[in-house]
Amino acid sequence: LLLPFALLLTLIMIGGIVWVSRRRLSPRGELAIAVGKREFVVHYQPVIHLPTGACVGAEALVRWRRPDGSLVRPDLFIPLAEDSGLIKPITDQVIDSVLDELGPTLAADATMHVAINLCADDIRTGRAVRVIARKLEGKELQAGQLLLEATERGFIDVEAARTTIGQARAAGHSLAIDDFGTGYSSLQYLQSLPLDALKIDKSFVETIGLDSATSSVTDHIISMARALGLLLIAEGVETQAQADYLRARGVDFAQGWLFAKAMPAADFLAFHQQRRAQFGACPSRIQRRW
Ligand code: C2E
Ligand code: MG
Ligand code: MG
Ligand code: MG
């Protein structure tokens, strides 16, 4: 009597194991495996000094390279990474890639900077600033060559953000508010936090040359940033007309497909060298304002 029963139990167990392993992993499970296997690569989008055309550096933009070789855009996994806490090891892998791939060039060229995107939680807790400090030990590049970016969400808890900004500034980094105008905005925090730069979101850049009511919002962001003493970096510049408009209004820096898309490190370094030969060194840096 016991034997058929044990046999049946074994069959059910085997069936269960097969069912579980056949079942697709949850997106979170897949992402956790990707973190463990360090499947993230960083592409670099050049940042251009509008008055001269010189390349001042790059923004580091993460991509997930699946085992089949396909690249997943960050918009498709960063929200899940933030919700699940997996953003922390991803951020750390981005920092590692930046230091490995651009570290020697940054050390050799103090005028060059690289921007790293931090998540809201890292602005609240200061964790990433501590990680960067540890990873910079023994490296020759200057902390001032790292621009830390975060969207408005990171600054909702103003007092926590102020503490982290203080730590980042003490370490020597500069700080930018990313995608400005697309999220929770309070002019009061902007005024009270010692930020260095403001990135004009591409949704505003897109309105340039369209009807004057919407593009005047872009003008207001520009004059507000100037009143606050912030450097301006325009995102998503796709046309010469947009670049001309921004330059005429005193916007110093821009990134966008007009100049270059984000690209692997080796391609970026070649782009930077070629741009250097053509336009010279950038006379103006993205740096601390306060
Ligand atoms: P972001 O920081 O605002 O980055 C700018 C995005 O605009 C990038 O998309 C870039 O490829 C894209 N872009 C640049 N120029 C143009 C243009 O001329 N036209 C158009 N249509 N798009 C342009 P990407 O690389 O897909 O990144 C999307 C977002 O994912 C980033 O927006 C950033 O918020 C987030 N992200 C990327 N890397 C990281 C990271 O390492 N950590 C965190 N926390 N977030 C990241
Ligand atoms: Mg950014
Ligand atoms: Mg942005
Ligand atoms: Mg954006």
Side-chain angles (χ1 to χ4, degrees), residues 59 117 149 151 177-180 199-202 235 255:
E59 176 174 6
N117 289 283
E149 304 188 1
T151 60
I177 184 156
D178 202 356
D179 298 352
F180 181 75
K199 299 191 81 168
I200 307 174
D201 191 67
K202 66 170 169 285
E235 301 188 303
Q255 10 181 157

Short mmCIF file of all heavy atoms in Angstrom, two decimals, residues 59 117 149 151 177-180 199-202 235 255, ligand 3:
data_model
loop_
_atom_site.label_atom_id
_atom_site.label_comp_id
_atom_site.label_asym_id
_atom_site.label_seq_id
_atom_site.Cartn_x
_atom_site.Cartn_y
_atom_site.Cartn_z
N GLU A 59 27.13 62.03 -20.56
CA GLU A 59 26.22 61.48 -19.56
C GLU A 59 26.24 59.96 -19.69
O GLU A 59 26.12 59.43 -20.80
CB GLU A 59 24.79 61.99 -19.77
CG GLU A 59 23.82 61.33 -18.77
CD GLU A 59 22.41 61.90 -18.81
OE1 GLU A 59 22.11 62.74 -19.67
OE2 GLU A 59 21.60 61.47 -17.95
N ASN A 117 23.50 59.33 -13.34
CA ASN A 117 22.12 59.47 -12.87
C ASN A 117 21.94 58.73 -11.55
O ASN A 117 22.21 57.53 -11.46
CB ASN A 117 21.15 58.88 -13.90
CG ASN A 117 21.06 59.74 -15.14
OD1 ASN A 117 20.42 60.79 -15.16
ND2 ASN A 117 21.77 59.31 -16.19
N GLU A 149 23.31 63.59 -11.20
CA GLU A 149 22.00 64.08 -11.64
C GLU A 149 20.89 63.31 -10.93
O GLU A 149 21.00 62.11 -10.74
CB GLU A 149 21.77 63.80 -13.14
CG GLU A 149 22.79 64.34 -14.05
CD GLU A 149 22.37 64.17 -15.52
OE1 GLU A 149 21.26 63.64 -15.82
OE2 GLU A 149 23.17 64.57 -16.36
N THR A 151 16.32 63.41 -10.71
CA THR A 151 15.08 64.11 -11.09
C THR A 151 14.47 64.74 -9.84
O THR A 151 14.87 64.46 -8.71
CB THR A 151 14.06 63.15 -11.74
OG1 THR A 151 13.76 62.13 -10.80
CG2 THR A 151 14.62 62.53 -13.01
N ILE A 177 19.84 69.02 -11.42
CA ILE A 177 18.47 68.53 -11.36
C ILE A 177 18.07 68.16 -12.78
O ILE A 177 18.22 68.93 -13.71
CB ILE A 177 17.54 69.56 -10.69
CG1 ILE A 177 16.14 68.98 -10.57
CG2 ILE A 177 17.52 70.89 -11.42
CD1 ILE A 177 15.36 69.62 -9.47
N ASP A 178 17.62 66.90 -12.93
CA ASP A 178 17.37 66.31 -14.26
C ASP A 178 15.90 66.46 -14.63
O ASP A 178 15.04 66.52 -13.75
CB ASP A 178 17.73 64.82 -14.17
CG ASP A 178 18.02 64.21 -15.52
OD1 ASP A 178 17.88 64.90 -16.55
OD2 ASP A 178 18.39 63.01 -15.54
N ASP A 179 15.62 66.49 -15.92
CA ASP A 179 14.23 66.51 -16.43
C ASP A 179 13.42 67.61 -15.78
O ASP A 179 12.23 67.43 -15.47
CB ASP A 179 13.52 65.17 -16.15
CG ASP A 179 14.20 64.01 -16.84
OD1 ASP A 179 15.11 64.26 -17.64
OD2 ASP A 179 13.81 62.87 -16.57
N PHE A 180 14.04 68.77 -15.57
CA PHE A 180 13.36 69.80 -14.81
C PHE A 180 12.04 70.20 -15.46
O PHE A 180 11.95 70.40 -16.67
CB PHE A 180 14.24 71.05 -14.64
CG PHE A 180 13.54 72.10 -13.84
CD1 PHE A 180 13.41 71.95 -12.47
CD2 PHE A 180 12.94 73.17 -14.46
CE1 PHE A 180 12.73 72.89 -11.72
CE2 PHE A 180 12.24 74.12 -13.71
CZ PHE A 180 12.14 73.97 -12.34
N LYS A 199 18.92 70.71 -15.85
CA LYS A 199 18.78 70.13 -17.18
C LYS A 199 17.36 70.39 -17.68
O LYS A 199 16.39 69.99 -17.04
CB LYS A 199 19.10 68.64 -17.17
CG LYS A 199 20.55 68.39 -16.72
CD LYS A 199 20.99 66.97 -16.95
CE LYS A 199 21.40 66.75 -18.39
NZ LYS A 199 22.11 65.45 -18.57
N ILE A 200 17.28 71.08 -18.82
CA ILE A 200 15.98 71.38 -19.41
C ILE A 200 15.51 70.13 -20.13
O ILE A 200 16.17 69.64 -21.05
CB ILE A 200 16.07 72.53 -20.43
CG1 ILE A 200 16.75 73.75 -19.80
CG2 ILE A 200 14.69 72.89 -20.97
CD1 ILE A 200 17.00 74.87 -20.81
N ASP A 201 14.36 69.61 -19.72
CA ASP A 201 13.88 68.36 -20.31
C ASP A 201 13.58 68.52 -21.80
O ASP A 201 13.19 69.59 -22.26
CB ASP A 201 12.62 67.90 -19.58
CG ASP A 201 12.24 66.49 -19.99
OD1 ASP A 201 13.00 65.57 -19.65
OD2 ASP A 201 11.21 66.31 -20.66
N LYS A 202 13.71 67.40 -22.52
CA LYS A 202 13.52 67.49 -23.97
C LYS A 202 12.08 67.83 -24.35
O LYS A 202 11.83 68.37 -25.42
CB LYS A 202 14.01 66.24 -24.69
CG LYS A 202 13.29 64.96 -24.43
CD LYS A 202 13.79 63.90 -25.43
CE LYS A 202 13.31 62.52 -25.07
NZ LYS A 202 14.04 61.95 -23.90
N GLU A 235 18.50 69.15 -22.93
CA GLU A 235 18.45 67.74 -23.33
C GLU A 235 17.62 67.57 -24.59
O GLU A 235 16.66 68.31 -24.80
CB GLU A 235 17.73 66.89 -22.29
CG GLU A 235 18.25 66.87 -20.93
CD GLU A 235 17.51 65.82 -20.11
OE1 GLU A 235 16.28 65.87 -20.00
OE2 GLU A 235 18.20 64.95 -19.62
N GLN A 255 22.85 68.41 -25.04
CA GLN A 255 23.04 67.05 -25.54
C GLN A 255 21.85 66.72 -26.43
O GLN A 255 20.76 67.25 -26.24
CB GLN A 255 23.16 66.00 -24.44
CG GLN A 255 22.86 66.43 -23.07
CD GLN A 255 23.01 65.39 -21.99
OE1 GLN A 255 23.19 65.79 -20.87
NE2 GLN A 255 22.89 64.09 -22.26
MG MG B 3 17.11 64.13 -18.32
#
